[in-house]
Amino acid sequence: MNTFEENLEKLEKLSNDIKRNDISLEDALKDFEEGIKLAAGMEKELEKIEGKIQILMNEPVPMEKNNPPQMELFDGADELTGTAGAPQAGTRQ
């Protein structure tokens, strides 16, 4: 299987061949069809890569010195049980 770069090079070659003055209509059509198939495969590959990039961009930032964990959600928690206890009368939790 060719790499993306190899496919791009092949697509560029096909495009240049089609532009030649001495190419027959049949050969130009054949190159065009091959180029369309190649471009479609490359587009699918790019979509996969873009999906991977989106996943990586949306992952949480790893814990570092400059990125301490945010613990505000647990401010009222009991240290022993980790819960905030029973709700107060008339309030929702």
Side-chain angles (χ1 to χ4, degrees):
M1 178 175 222
N2 292 340
T3 66
F4 186 85
E5 291 79 11
E6 291 170 337
N7 287 338
L8 183 58
E9 195 173 304
K10 175 72 173 174
L11 188 59
E12 288 173 351
K13 182 185 178 313
L14 290 170
S15 175
N16 288 333
D17 285 348
I18 291 172
K19 295 174 188 175
R20 289 188 354 237
N21 290 335
D22 63 339
I23 191 170
S24 70
L25 183 58
E26 292 80 18
D27 288 340
L29 180 59
K30 185 181 90 173
D31 286 352
F32 181 77
E33 287 176 317
E34 185 178 349
I36 292 295
K37 290 176 186 176
L38 194 57
M42 293 170 68
E43 185 175 11
K44 287 180 184 178
E45 189 174 343
L46 278 176
E47 287 172 0
K48 286 182 195 176
I49 292 169
E50 287 174 353
K52 288 179 183 180
I53 290 171
Q54 287 298 324
I55 289 169
L56 292 172
M57 294 294 292
N58 291 323
E59 281 185 357
V61 179
M63 293 299 154
E64 298 173 352
K65 289 181 183 178
N66 297 336
N67 182 29
Q70 303 298 315
M71 303 300 284
E72 292 88 23
L73 293 174
F74 305 103
D75 283 348
D78 178 277
E79 287 185 21
L80 182 61
T81 64
T83 64
Q88 298 175 351
T91 62
R92 293 174 136 190
Q93 286 195 4

